[in-house]
Amino acid sequence: MQVNKTEKFVKAEDIKGSLDTTFKILEEPYENQGNYGKKLECRIKMQSGKESAFAKWSINNTNKDVLIDAFGNETAEWIGKELKVHVETINNKDSIILNKEQF
């Protein structure tokens, strides 16, 4: 049996300052109970310039609503979508935000 390293959750600090970062959703997002309620999470391939990495992404409510508006509320339809992202400071905290102009 082969095993892989545990994938880390992508954080705003991982992409801050990058203007060309994209996330490709690899698997259907699923709900997970966190410290502050339920969150959607999924596996992604993160691309920034020539660098790429596999990671997990915790989808905040703002991004979830944008994804629903763009692709519908069936999360299976989100698989394979490539998304441009950037970092914004919201309530004094850096957050990963989808670029709305891509839709």
Side-chain angles (χ1 to χ4, degrees):
M1 168 176 60
Q2 283 188 328
V3 294
N4 296 317
K5 289 184 176 182
T6 302
E7 293 172 341
K8 306 284 187 218
F9 277 92
V10 64
K11 298 178 184 174
E13 64 193 40
D14 297 331
I15 64 168
K16 191 171 186 173
S18 175
L19 301 175
D20 63 348
T21 301
T22 60
F23 291 174
K24 182 175 184 177
I25 297 176
L26 300 177
E27 296 176 356
E28 184 173 4
Y30 57 91
E31 276 191 340
N32 195 12
Q33 184 67 37
N35 293 337
Y36 303 103
K38 291 182 180 178
K39 288 271 189 172
L40 278 181
E41 297 176 359
C42 66
R43 285 189 68 236
I44 60 166
K45 181 177 181 183
M46 182 174 59
Q47 185 80 38
S48 187
K50 294 181 181 180
E51 306 254 338
S52 68
F54 294 98
K56 289 186 179 181
W57 178 35
S58 181
I59 304 170
N60 64 31
N61 288 332
T62 301
N63 289 330
K64 178 182 73 170
D65 292 346
V66 171
L67 289 167
I68 290 170
D69 289 344
F71 306 120
N73 63 357
E74 180 53 59
T75 56
E77 298 296 319
W78 303 357
I79 299 169
K81 302 297 186 198
E82 288 197 31
L83 311 165
K84 295 179 184 177
V85 297
H86 66 279
V87 174
E88 282 185 29
T89 303
I90 300 171
N91 296 328
N92 295 320
K93 181 182 175 195
D94 287 340
S95 299
I96 297 171
I97 301 295
L98 291 169
N99 295 359
K100 292 180 185 173
E101 60 274 358
Q102 69 186 309
F103 303 108

